[in-house]
Amino acid sequence: MKIALCIKQVPDTSDIKWTEHNTIKREGVESIINPYDVYAIESALQIKRVCTDVEVTVITMGPAQAEDMLRKAIALGIDKGALVTDRKFAGADTYATGKTLAQSINTIVPDFDIVICGQFAIDGDTAQTGPSIANHLNIPQITFVKEVVECNDKYIIVKRQADDGIETLKAPLPVLLCVLQGYQEPTRAKINGYITAQKAEIKTYTLEDIGLTAEDVGLKGSPTYVSKAFRPIVTHNCEKIHANDGTIELICNKIEEFKAGKNE
């Protein structure tokens, strides 16, 4: 069984910088592994523990510094790492990112059985990249996965978070999973893992290597345009209104005043 594990480095939330195109600047910025991708890593390791002959390849799209993140995943027990990097990938929205990663998976792990992603990325919080990858690969997907219950070379059974509780679903392979925090504590790397990670070969793939054009990726391949990016101003001002016969009218007037102020 072969698993393609997609993870992402995200800027430390206290150190976000913007480009001239209102996209997040990633090169030279202190970064961490996206927290939901930590759970994706754990799900891949869980499958490795319960199934035989499993090979997991961790893939990320990003600048050269993302190689460190791939080594951290290998230190935890992931088998291989691949860095998809090219300046033309910069500024990609979730559609272009999903297309690039799907093409990367087809290039790097063409005979994959399972693709695993984190449900969200904390720098965008759209939850769109995983489903976009599944769409471009033309495979089924299960989102909000909490736990892998059973897995073999034909199907997988998982528990997922639903609006009204926990669902148990069975899907044929190949399939894509978008993972939430599960019931198990994330694995911690051991000394031998760090040694293996430092010696591991991280293969690098460019735009040309994965067979896409400059029009398919980055800003050129992104239908989403960010017109403005800003930090919201948080205030704690409030006005107490005591309930009486004119309370509803007073609240309505306050709302109209607020709307008028927003439109000025």
Side-chain angles (χ1 to χ4, degrees):
M1 177 182 294
K2 293 190 177 181
I3 298 174
L5 170 65
C6 296
I7 67 174
K8 181 182 184 180
Q9 66 165 4
V10 294
D12 188 323
T13 52
S14 65
D15 191 27
I16 292 179
K17 299 179 182 178
W18 305 95
T19 70
E20 60 180 323
H21 301 291
N22 290 324
T23 58
I24 293 176
K25 182 179 180 181
R26 302 186 186 278
E27 292 186 350
V29 178
E30 187 68 28
S31 299
I32 59 174
I33 296 179
N34 178 49
Y36 286 95
D37 295 345
V38 174
Y39 310 136
I41 293 171
E42 187 59 33
S43 294
L45 293 175
Q46 182 184 355
I47 294 174
K48 282 195 69 175
R49 295 186 192 108
V50 299
C51 298
T52 58
D53 196 24
V54 176
E55 181 181 79
V56 183
T57 301
V58 59
I59 301 171
T60 193
M61 185 183 86
Q65 69 192 51
E67 181 179 318
D68 293 338
M69 179 183 62
L70 296 174
R71 294 192 185 279
K72 289 179 181 178
I74 292 173
L76 293 170
I78 301 304
D79 301 294
K80 297 179 178 179
L83 174 62
V84 182
T85 184
D86 198 302
R87 288 189 177 275
K88 294 183 177 67
F89 295 149
D93 66 359
T94 53
Y95 176 84
T97 299
K99 187 173 187 178
T100 303
L101 286 172
Q103 188 67 17
S104 300
I105 292 168
N106 277 329
T107 301
I108 301 165
V109 196
D111 52 347
F112 69 90
D113 298 288
I114 302 172
V115 179
I116 304 179
C117 310
Q119 179 66 49
F120 301 97
I122 62 171
D123 60 348
D125 206 28
T126 63
Q128 294 175 349
T129 300
S132 178
I133 295 171
N135 178 62
H136 283 102
L137 291 175
N138 195 29
I139 60 174
Q141 59 179 294
I142 305 177
T143 56
F144 297 95
V145 173
K146 298 279 288 182
E147 181 184 6
V148 176
V149 178
E150 184 181 342
C151 184
N152 57 41
D153 59 356
K154 296 187 180 300
Y155 64 83
I156 190 168
I157 300 175
V158 302
K159 291 183 178 180
R160 71 180 297 270
Q161 183 69 55
D163 291 338
D164 55 352
I166 300 296
E167 294 178 339
T168 300
L169 298 181
K170 179 180 179 180
L173 304 185
V175 68
L176 180 141
L177 308 179
C178 292
V179 178
L180 288 174
Q181 181 176 1
Y183 304 112
Q184 296 180 334
E185 285 293 321
T187 299
R188 295 186 179 183
K190 298 179 180 179
I191 295 297
N192 288 341
Y194 284 116
I195 294 173
T196 299
Q198 290 305 311
K199 294 180 179 179
E201 177 188 4
I202 303 296
K203 293 188 177 181
T204 300
Y205 296 82
T206 64
L207 174 66
E208 184 178 343
D209 293 327
I210 63 174
L212 292 176
T213 68
E215 286 67 34
D216 294 320
V217 302
L219 282 172
K220 290 184 177 180
S222 300
T224 305
Y225 172 72
V226 180
S227 61
K228 184 178 180 181
F230 62 95
R231 295 180 185 274
I233 299 174
V234 179
T235 63
H236 298 283
N237 298 329
C238 67
E239 180 180 347
K240 290 184 179 181
I241 298 176
H242 297 283
N244 54 50
D245 292 340
T247 299
I248 294 177
E249 182 179 358
L250 179 59
I251 292 175
C252 290
N253 290 336
K254 291 293 183 182
I255 292 173
E256 292 301 322
E257 291 175 10
F258 177 77
K259 289 166 62 179
K262 292 285 285 185
N263 293 329
E264 290 179 355

